[in-house]
């Protein structure tokens, strides 16, 4: 088709980090150093990579980071007590427990246990409720990153027909709520949707957050659609690493039909990490106010 804008998530994330760094300086002038605690209870190397990247991001903008690692064979009580300790610490303003957790840990108990004022993931039921009610405190990082990319690309959401593919608590559900809050007409599709193509083809905006490699192609899109790829799938290959990352969208195909497209990698991923920093400085400011 004609002109397609390819969103540069790294560039927008860089702008967000610059804003965060300025806020960190302002807090520093008041004697406050924002602190983020990350908790990892997993042997999964994707999870440990994500956590390391989050710590590196913190360092870059002047947020102090604290890391707790718990052997996944330890009892759940170890994790609960860690959260209680972090809740009580004055130098910790944000707490992030990396998901997924081992099967013997009650994930809902973990999410409830984090002080909602330090819940920079936005997963505590109080914060989920506030988001749905239109009075958000911490907006989950990935959906918040998607909204920021749409804003940066000047996509008007009022009256837009939006189809979100995926209904996870981390991405699909909160994103559908945020789009609704901005007056889009939102359809949320999932694994039991009977005619997915009908819903994607009729949409002005398609957000792919299903975790299925490259399953959305041009045939499923309207001419001129805005396409945001949230997928970060590890696909095995014969490279040295043994895998590469790919999105939920077949980029080469979809870009021929889209007016605006956010690729993966290079779109939402860097934004997710940047929004965590935003939430952490917000938590620090609110807790020290
Ligand atoms: N695992 C996958 N995505 C996320 C996320 O946004 N936050 C946390 N804590 N764990 C995750």
């Amino acid at each position: 088709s004609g002109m397609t804008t390819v969103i540069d998530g790294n560039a927008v994330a860089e702008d967000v980090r610059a804003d965060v760094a300025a806020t960190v300086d302002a807090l520093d002038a008041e004697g406050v150093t924002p602190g983020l605690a990350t908790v990892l209870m997993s042997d999964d190397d994707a999870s440990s990579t994500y956590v390391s990247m989050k710590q590196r991001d913190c360092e870059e903008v002047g947020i102090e980071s604290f890391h707790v690692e718990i052997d996944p064979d330890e009892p759940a009580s170890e994790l609960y007590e860690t959260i209680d300790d972090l809740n009580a610490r004055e130098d910790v303003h944000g707490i992030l427990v990396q998901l997924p957790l081992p099967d013997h840990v009650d994930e809902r108990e973990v999410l409830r246990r984090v002080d909602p004022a330090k819940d920079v993931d936005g997963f505590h039921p109080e914060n989920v409720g506030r988001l749905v009610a239109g009075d958000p405190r911490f907006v989950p990082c990935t959906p918040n990153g998607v909204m920021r990319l749409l804003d940066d690309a000047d996509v008007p959401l009022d009256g837009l027909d939006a189809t979100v593919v995926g209904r996870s608590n981390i991405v699909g559900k909160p994103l559908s709520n945020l789009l609704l809050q901005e007056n889009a007409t939102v359809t949320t599709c999932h694994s039991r949707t009977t005619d997915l193509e009908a819903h994607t083809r009729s949409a002005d905006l398609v957000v792919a957050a299903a975790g299925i490699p490259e399953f959305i192609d041009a045939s499923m899109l309207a001419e001129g659609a805005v396409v945001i790829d949230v997928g970060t799938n590890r696909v095995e290959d014969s490279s040295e690493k043994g895998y590469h990352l790919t999105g939920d969208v077949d980029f080469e195909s979809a870009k021929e039909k889209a007016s605006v497209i956010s690729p993966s990698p290079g779109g939402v991923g860097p934004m997710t990490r940047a929004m965590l920093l935003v939430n952490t400085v917000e938590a620090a400011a609110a807790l020290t106010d």
Side-chain angles (χ1 to χ4, degrees), residues 47 50 54 96-100 121 123 141-142 170 272:
S47 286
Y50 289 139
K54 289 166 186 179
L96 180 141
V97 180
Q98 186 66 27
L99 304 177
D121 261 328
F123 297 161
C141 301
T142 299
I170 294 181
T272 295

